[in-house]
Amino acid sequence: MLLSLTLAFSSDDCPMLQQILRAPALKAILIQVLAFPLMLLLVYCLARAGVVMSLPVVALLQGVLAALITWRAGLARWWCAIGLLFAPALLAASLLHWPPAVFLAAFVFLLSLYWSTFRTQVPFYPSGPRVWHAVAELIADRPGVRLVDIGSGLGGLVLDLAQRRPDGQFSGIELAPLPWLASRLRARLSGSRARFMRGDYEALDFSRYDAVFAYLSPAAMAALWGKAEREMLPGSMLLSYEFQIAAREPDKTIAATEGGPLLYIWCF
């Protein structure tokens, strides 16, 4: 009864709470909680059989169980790595006796780097020079092209295109503070005309751009396609590195890196 009331309240009166309950980070924490009694049961059974395990091995066992449950639950692959390393990292931190300031500094650094990854499910994915070159070729026949990189990270693509094409307008938008600040500093120090904005790409109007580049994650592609369908104008292009859109096959596919992920293009 209480659970039903809670779910009804969260869905009808508190959409923010509903979003938090669906967050992968919360699922990862619950998976660790679920793995803990399973680990204890397994350690107990092994001890009854005469197998005694050290504390590091127990922590690793907890991590393996959490990673398996994470994989089974269908979370993204990086959550499996986090689940595997979480308990061993906690143990290592307790054994090292580092001062609390070290953990606070690490937390602030990671928070400024990944920011709302727990909500957006888009981690820090940097592209490379070969991808930048492929994008430059795709827009080569578009004078005065306007391109935006959503989730621009350290700004490599935008800075490269701004240098290649003085006639174009190249922008990047990044939600995490640290990459955004780094890209702004890089543009200022190099005298680049590239423009970097801090915020969520949902606030952008895609109709202002001839090309939209994205290197996000599988979890974000459906929402990206919905926005692109609503806002992108005829003649514009949506470019996605590595991740496809389930709703529509790409109009063109480019092997930007040998043996690496593909670059997908949708034309409007």
Side-chain angles (χ1 to χ4, degrees), residues 59-216:
L60 181 60
L61 180 60
Q62 164 76 14
V64 170
L65 290 172
L68 289 174
I69 299 173
T70 301
W71 170 76
R72 185 65 178 159
L75 271 69
R77 59 183 182 270
W78 59 84
W79 285 109
C80 295
I82 293 173
L84 175 64
L85 298 175
F86 183 75
L90 283 181
L91 177 62
S94 65
L95 294 175
L96 289 172
H97 302 294
W98 285 345
V102 173
F103 297 100
L104 177 60
F107 173 77
V108 171
F109 172 77
L110 292 174
L111 179 64
S112 62
L113 180 61
Y114 293 103
W115 203 242
S116 60
T117 296
F118 76 94
R119 175 179 62 83
T120 63
Q121 302 187 60
V122 180
F124 180 63
Y125 278 148
S127 56
R130 293 186 179 181
V131 179
W132 308 342
H133 178 72
V135 174
E137 290 190 334
L138 285 169
I139 61 173
D141 60 347
R142 294 172 178 252
V145 62
R146 298 165 299 170
L147 178 143
V148 64
D149 179 2
I150 57 175
S152 51
L154 299 177
L157 171 69
V158 179
L159 290 167
D160 181 80
L161 293 176
Q163 184 178 15
R164 292 173 187 257
R165 294 286 303 275
D167 64 308
Q169 299 177 31
F170 301 99
S171 305
I173 186 166
E174 174 60 52
L175 196 56
L178 187 59
W180 166 78
L181 180 60
S183 59
R184 286 287 301 268
L185 290 174
R186 292 179 68 188
R188 176 163 296 185
L189 292 174
S190 63
S192 174
R193 295 173 55 252
R195 179 176 174 234
F196 293 99
M197 303 166 282
R198 183 177 174 269
D200 194 330
Y201 78 85
E202 284 287 347
L204 290 181
D205 180 2
F206 281 2
S207 66
R208 296 170 50 199
Y209 301 98
D210 305 304
V212 175
F213 176 86
Y215 189 14
L216 301 178

Side-chain angles (χ1 to χ4, degrees), residues 252-266:
K252 189 175 181 180
T253 303
I254 296 175
T257 56
E258 185 177 353
L262 300 174
L263 178 62
Y264 302 100
I265 301 99
W266 290 267

Side-chain angles (χ1 to χ4, degrees), residues 1 7 17 29-30 44 66 73 85 149 164 166 208 215 232 240:
M1 178 69 174
L7 291 175
L17 179 59
I29 294 172
L30 294 176
Y44 174 76
L85 298 175
D149 179 2
R164 292 173 187 257
R208 296 170 50 199
Y215 189 14
M232 296 192 73
S240 174

